[in-house]
Amino acid sequence: MRRRCLSALLALAFCQTVVAEEPRSGYTYMEPATQAMQDDDFLNPGFFLVDEGLRLWRQPMGPAGQSCADCHGPVEREMNGVAARYPVLDAGTGKLVNLERKIQLETARMGAEPLAYESPEILSLTTLISYQSRNMPMQPEITPQLQPFLDRGRKIYEQRRGQLNLSCPQCHVDHAGDKLRGDVISQGQVNAFPIYRLLWGEPGSRHRMFEWCMQSIRARPFERGSDEFIELELYLVQRGAGLVIEAPGVRR
Amino acid sequence: MPALALGIWLQGFGTANADGLAPLTGQPGDPSRGEALLLDMQRVSCLICHRISSLDERDQGQIGPALDGVASRLDNMELRQRIVDARVFNPDTIMPPYYSVTGLVDVADLYRGRTIYDAQEVEDVVAYLLTLTEEANR
C-alpha cells in the first residue's frame, strides 16, 4: 500500500514537471537586492515616471488646451485595471493597439505634437496608467476577432531568427532558470513593464525589450510600435495571463 | 549491410549518422588564438552557454554541457561539425551555427550572408578544444 502511494506520488511529481509551465514573473528570478529596489517606491528608480506621468495627465495639450484629466477625470478611477486588459482592438481604427499606440492616437486626436513611440512622455504616461493596475492580474479578453492577432503573435514568438538562429521559447521556455553567460534567463514575461533596467540605466518599454532580445541574436528587429510587436505583445500577455502587473518594474 | 549497421550501432546514438568534418583550411588551427576567441564575449562566445573550468572567466553559461574533457569524448572531425553547424546532430539545437548561413531568417543587416566565425577561426577553436582532454582536467 505504502509502495503504491509512493509511486503515485512519484507519478504526480513527474506529471507536474511535464505539464506546461506555470507563469512566473521575472521578479522571482532576480536577486533580493533588485527585488527590494522594485518593492520600495522610494528606492525604485522607475518611480519618477509615475509622478511625471501624473503631471502630463493634467497638462493641457493641443489647440483646444485640453488635458487627459479634462476628459477622463482622476487617473486612479478612470485607468483602474485598463493596463491589465491591453492590447485591445481599437474601435476607431480597427487595429490592435497597446497602451503606447493608444496614447499616440489620443494625443493626435487632441491635435497635440506627435509623441514618438519611446519618448519620455509616452513612457511616463504608460507607467502612470500601468501603475493603476498594480497587483491586478493581466487578463486579456481574447474575442474571436482577436484570435488571428494572437495566432500571428505566437508565430513570431516561435520563429527561429537571426544569425544565432534562435526563437524566443528556446531561451524563455526551454531554458528559463538556466544561466546564459552572467544572466539567469527568466520566462520573458511582460507584467512588469515599463521597467527600469539597470543594464540600460533608464526605463524602457516592452517593445524595447523585444528589440534588445532580437538584437542579441543578431536578428533584424521589428520596429517599436509595429503591428508585429503589438501582436507579439498580445501573445505574451495571454501567455502570462494571471501574473500581476508590477509597473514600474526593476530588472537587472 | 548488417555489419555496417552494427558498426553504426556500436558508435552509439547521436554520432551514428554524423560524419564529422575534415579541416576547412590547409593551415592547422592555433589553440591560443582559439582560446582568445572564446574569451571574447563580443564574438558569440561558446561560454555564453558552456562552462570550461580551466578558463578564468566568471560569467560562464550552463545551457549546454560543460566542455571540460570534451577532447576525450569527441574527435576533431566531430568537434568541427558541431561548431560549423550543430543542426546536423540535432535539428532543434539551441547551439548557433558558427560557419553556416543555411536556413537563417531575418538576420540583421550587419551580419546577413556572413558566418559567425571564418574558416580559420573554426580551426583555431577546434585546436583549442582538442587541448581539453580528461588528463588536462586533472
Side-chain angles (χ1 to χ4, degrees), chain A residues 66-134:
Chain A
Q66 280 190 324
S67 69
C68 314
D70 287 336
C71 282
H72 290 284
V75 69
E76 309 83 56
R77 189 188 72 210
E78 284 302 305
M79 295 294 131
N80 186 287
V82 168
R85 291 194 300 270
Y86 265 63
V88 298
L89 268 189
D90 178 59
T93 59
K95 291 187 97 177
L96 185 69
V97 295
N98 61 359
L99 273 185
E100 287 86 343
R101 291 284 298 128
K102 182 66 180 172
I103 294 166
Q104 283 181 320
L105 289 173
E106 290 285 293
T107 49
R109 210 166 45 91
M110 292 153 71
E113 288 280 309
L115 295 175
Y117 191 81
E118 192 95 14
S119 61
E121 291 85 357
I122 297 253
L123 268 175
S124 307
L125 285 168
T126 48
T127 306
L128 172 73
I129 293 170
S130 303
Y131 183 63
Q132 311 310 317
S133 297
R134 222 188 199 190

Side-chain angles (χ1 to χ4, degrees), chain A:
Chain A
M1 179 58 202
R2 193 171 162 170
R3 192 109 149 254
R4 268 231 309 276
C5 285
L6 195 67
S7 58
L9 262 175
L10 281 173
L12 196 72
F14 180 69
C15 285
Q16 270 169 354
T17 61
V18 173
V19 155
E21 43 161 4
E22 275 286 305
R24 237 182 92 177
S25 169
Y27 179 90
T28 64
Y29 294 89
M30 293 191 314
E31 313 231 317
T34 324
Q35 292 178 336
M37 217 186 271
Q38 172 171 312
D39 292 342
D40 184 337
D41 290 350
F42 292 99
L43 292 179
N44 186 326
F47 205 81
F48 73 96
L49 290 173
V50 176
D51 299 330
E52 179 57 16
L54 194 56
R55 193 183 66 73
L56 289 168
W57 181 261
R58 296 172 176 151
Q59 176 178 296
M61 294 184 222
Q66 280 190 324
S67 69
C68 314
D70 287 336
C71 282
H72 290 284
V75 69
E76 309 83 56
R77 189 188 72 210
E78 284 302 305
M79 295 294 131
N80 186 287
V82 168
R85 291 194 300 270
Y86 265 63
V88 298
L89 268 189
D90 178 59
T93 59
K95 291 187 97 177
L96 185 69
V97 295
N98 61 359
L99 273 185
E100 287 86 343
R101 291 284 298 128
K102 182 66 180 172
I103 294 166
Q104 283 181 320
L105 289 173
E106 290 285 293
T107 49
R109 210 166 45 91
M110 292 153 71
E113 288 280 309
L115 295 175
Y117 191 81
E118 192 95 14
S119 61
E121 291 85 357
I122 297 253
L123 268 175
S124 307
L125 285 168
T126 48
T127 306
L128 172 73
I129 293 170
S130 303
Y131 183 63
Q132 311 310 317
S133 297
R134 222 188 199 190
N135 297 324
M136 295 183 193
M138 290 196 297
Q139 228 138 35
E141 200 195 323
I142 308 298
T143 57
Q145 294 100 299
L146 270 191
Q147 194 62 43
F149 295 94
L150 188 69
D151 293 342
R152 281 198 294 275
R154 181 186 191 130
K155 270 220 180 92
I156 294 171
Y157 186 70
E158 290 173 350
Q159 172 70 53
R160 298 183 69 153
R161 63 181 78 243
Q163 194 187 38
L164 273 57
N165 196 36
L166 295 175
S167 67
C168 318
Q170 279 183 293
C171 284
H172 289 296
V173 176
D174 299 348
H175 288 286
D178 291 343
K179 246 180 95 188
L180 182 86
R181 209 181 144 185
D183 268 325
V184 177
I185 305 180
S186 72
Q187 288 183 359
Q189 301 285 0
V190 293
N191 56 309
F193 285 80
I195 56 167
Y196 189 96
R197 195 160 184 232
L198 300 171
L199 182 73
W200 294 334
E202 57 183 19
S205 67
R206 288 171 173 173
H207 291 196
R208 179 170 178 186
M209 192 74 222
F210 302 166
E211 182 186 272
W212 184 86
C213 285
M214 284 199 176
Q215 281 168 346
S216 332
I217 56 177
R218 298 183 171 182
R220 182 170 19 151
F222 296 105
E223 297 219 356
R224 301 183 200 172
S226 63
D227 292 346
E228 288 88 351
F229 266 175
I230 301 180
E231 288 160 2
L232 179 59
E233 180 176 349
L234 175 69
Y235 176 71
L236 291 178
V237 168
Q238 197 260 354
R239 169 178 182 248
L243 289 178
V244 300
I245 299 273
E246 293 172 13
V250 180
R251 292 291 182 269
R252 199 174 114 98

Side-chain angles (χ1 to χ4, degrees), chain B residues 13 20-21 23-24 28 35 41 45 48 55 57 67 87 94 105-107 112 115 120 132:
Chain B
F13 294 108
L21 269 182
L24 303 176
E35 178 178 340
M41 285 296 180
S45 169
I48 294 173
L55 288 181
E57 164 62 47
L67 296 179
R87 287 173 294 184
I94 191 176
V105 173
D106 280 351
V107 177
R112 188 149 339 116
T115 56
Q120 199 57 47
L132 302 178

Side-chain angles (χ1 to χ4, degrees), chain B residues 9-44:
Chain B
W9 182 77
L10 282 176
Q11 284 176 40
F13 294 108
T15 54
N17 47 11
D19 294 315
L21 269 182
L24 303 176
T25 69
Q27 188 188 336
D30 175 342
S32 62
R33 279 213 305 257
E35 178 178 340
L37 205 48
L38 252 72
L39 287 169
D40 184 352
M41 285 296 180
Q42 306 306 315
R43 295 296 312 280
V44 194

Side-chain angles (χ1 to χ4, degrees), chain B:
Chain B
M1 183 57 202
L4 183 66
L6 184 66
I8 287 172
W9 182 77
L10 282 176
Q11 284 176 40
F13 294 108
T15 54
N17 47 11
D19 294 315
L21 269 182
L24 303 176
T25 69
Q27 188 188 336
D30 175 342
S32 62
R33 279 213 305 257
E35 178 178 340
L37 205 48
L38 252 72
L39 287 169
D40 184 352
M41 285 296 180
Q42 306 306 315
R43 295 296 312 280
V44 194
S45 169
C46 317
L47 301 181
I48 294 173
C49 296
H50 294 281
R51 193 165 44 78
I52 299 176
S53 312
S54 54
L55 288 181
D56 183 22
E57 164 62 47
R58 242 184 76 235
D59 290 337
Q60 303 197 20
Q62 39 162 248
I63 304 289
L67 296 179
D68 299 330
V70 73
S72 304
R73 300 193 292 275
L74 303 172
D75 66 19
N76 84 86
M77 306 258 289
E78 292 163 325
L79 287 171
R80 189 176 294 103
Q81 177 65 76
R82 282 258 167 217
I83 298 167
V84 164
D85 193 348
R87 287 173 294 184
V88 168
F89 299 94
N90 167 14
D92 298 325
T93 186
I94 191 176
M95 181 162 153
Y98 280 81
Y99 192 64
S100 164
V101 294
T102 312
L104 303 186
V105 173
D106 280 351
V107 177
D109 294 346
L110 193 58
Y111 304 104
R112 188 149 339 116
R114 298 167 145 203
T115 56
I116 300 173
Y117 287 167
D118 65 26
Q120 199 57 47
E121 288 173 332
V122 172
E123 294 307 316
D124 293 343
V125 171
V126 170
Y128 169 69
L129 292 181
L130 286 172
T131 67
L132 302 178
T133 57
E134 291 292 354
E135 295 78 60
N137 223 10
R138 283 193 200 111

